Amino acid sequence: MLTVMPSVEEMASLQRKRLQARILSSEEEEKLKRDQALVSDCKQQKLEKEAQKNWDLFYKRNSTNFFKGRHWTTREFEDLRSCREFEDQKLTILEAGCWDCLFPFLEDQNIFAYACDFFPRAVEYVKQNPLYDSERHKVFQCDLTKDDLLEHVPPESMGVVMLIFVLSAVHPDKMHLVLQNIYQALKPGKSVLFHDSGLYDHTMLRFKAGSKLGENFYARQDGTRSYFFTDEFLARLFTDTDYEEVVNEYVFCETVNKKEGLCVLRDFPSEQIPKMS
């Protein structure tokens, strides 16, 4: 099989926003129907208890190679510019986890960035980066499901919070705790920019039998976990935590691996949700 790598313009045209998750093939539907058995409660408790250790080992194995600086964030979130009240305003942002978005944003000289992560090794990787500047960054370890974020950042001080591929690693029962925590740090009327794994993403369909923890929630072989969002679940999660929904949509794109001759479908719900004034 030969796959031709599209041009930049063609790749841009592949990415589009839709109102619903993609439609499954009959084979994919059959696979999901067969895979209904859940991991035992005992193992699920062990995965929850060892979540920090498993993700820290993930970073140790992959170093900084797994995640790349995400320059697409400013394209994906067109309304990021509107987080400023005037063009040259100094913007204070918080990147909650998934620290690889941090440095692309700091190419804008009028941004001061806080960044936190659940995993100690991820925090150290940021501090070791040659682009790290303590005058423009504050990076710290924080478990947003239980640690008080306001021990590290001033209350109601953030012009925007980035929540990118973070909540999917959190147990669904604790996701609201993350949103409550960052709510305290967000200025009234300002936005959380969310991007994460969507329902029926190719990654979700690759899980083998025996990996399912709950509805749309799966465990990888290394013990890390991933949740796959619907737009309905996402909207309810935020509005139940006193946010106001502005944009909530799936981003559909194709990922092409030229070497392997593969083209796979990806689904990512993206949302802009301000704290209510």
Side-chain angles (χ1 to χ4, degrees):
M1 173 180 176
L2 176 63
T3 302
V4 179
M5 180 69 75
S7 67
V8 173
E9 291 78 16
E10 289 170 331
M11 284 301 293
S13 69
L14 286 174
Q15 184 165 313
R16 57 192 184 276
K17 295 175 181 178
R18 305 187 303 160
L19 297 178
Q20 60 183 17
R22 72 180 183 86
I23 299 173
L24 294 176
S25 68
S26 57
E27 292 81 4
E28 291 168 335
E29 285 185 345
E30 184 61 31
K31 178 184 183 300
L32 290 181
K33 286 179 182 178
R34 290 196 307 267
D35 186 16
Q36 295 297 319
L38 299 184
V39 171
S40 69
D41 289 343
C42 181
K43 185 174 180 179
Q44 293 213 36
Q45 291 172 14
K46 185 174 186 290
L47 289 171
E48 177 67 17
K49 182 179 179 180
E50 296 179 352
Q52 185 179 58
K53 182 187 77 172
N54 290 334
W55 273 106
D56 212 44
L57 290 172
F58 172 91
Y59 280 106
K60 181 179 180 180
R61 287 190 300 272
N62 294 281
S63 183
T64 56
N65 297 319
F66 184 80
F67 296 116
K68 305 297 183 183
R70 291 192 167 108
H71 287 81
W72 54 260
T73 46
T74 51
R75 299 192 302 271
E76 180 66 41
F77 294 111
E78 298 171 358
D79 291 327
L80 182 62
R81 300 179 186 88
S82 69
C83 294
R84 285 191 168 95
E85 296 173 7
F86 52 88
E87 185 174 353
D88 296 326
Q89 181 185 17
K90 182 99 174 169
L91 185 63
T92 302
I93 70 172
L94 169 66
E95 186 181 7
C98 204
W99 45 267
D100 56 326
C101 298
L102 176 65
F103 295 112
F105 273 110
L106 290 175
E107 293 171 4
D108 181 337
Q109 294 300 310
N110 281 329
I111 286 181
F112 182 90
Y114 291 86
C116 65
D117 209 297
F118 182 33
F119 320 112
R121 204 176 301 272
V123 173
E124 288 306 310
Y125 283 150
V126 174
K127 292 181 177 179
Q128 293 167 11
N129 192 302
L131 297 176
Y132 179 74
D133 180 357
S134 60
E135 296 296 319
R136 301 188 61 212
H137 311 155
K138 180 179 178 182
V139 185
F140 54 94
Q141 183 184 352
C142 181
D143 179 351
L144 289 171
T145 66
K146 63 180 182 181
D147 298 337
D148 187 358
L149 182 60
L150 298 188
E151 291 183 1
H152 304 277
V153 305
E156 297 191 349
S157 60
M158 298 297 122
V160 62
V161 175
M162 307 297 299
L163 202 57
I164 299 178
F165 292 106
V166 174
L167 280 190
S168 55
V170 176
H171 193 287
D173 292 346
K174 295 185 176 181
M175 290 178 182
H176 70 286
L177 299 175
V178 176
L179 300 187
Q180 289 171 355
N181 211 347
I182 62 178
Y183 189 93
Q184 304 175 86
L186 195 62
K187 291 180 180 179
K190 298 303 181 182
S191 296
V192 173
L193 302 182
F194 175 94
H195 185 97
D196 216 315
S197 301
L199 185 69
Y200 305 147
D201 179 77
H202 176 71
T203 306
M204 175 179 173
L205 299 173
R206 289 180 60 193
F207 279 104
K208 296 180 180 179
S211 303
K212 191 170 184 177
L213 303 172
E215 184 177 10
N216 306 330
F217 193 37
Y218 293 84
R220 302 181 183 88
Q221 289 186 340
D222 62 6
T224 62
R225 300 169 298 176
S226 186
Y227 185 86
F228 297 87
F229 292 88
T230 65
D231 53 354
E232 295 92 346
F233 176 87
L234 191 61
R236 185 169 63 252
L237 182 65
F238 273 90
T239 55
D240 285 352
T241 322
D242 291 332
Y243 292 83
E244 178 184 354
E245 182 184 56
V246 174
V247 178
N248 181 6
E249 55 197 1
Y250 291 99
V251 175
F252 172 71
C253 65
E254 293 177 339
T255 298
V256 179
N257 185 322
K258 184 177 180 181
K259 181 179 179 181
E260 300 295 332
L262 296 175
C263 179
V264 299
L265 301 174
R266 308 302 308 276
D267 251 328
F268 305 107
S270 287
E271 186 161 24
Q272 180 181 1
I273 313 172
K275 174 181 178 179
M276 296 179 70
S277 301

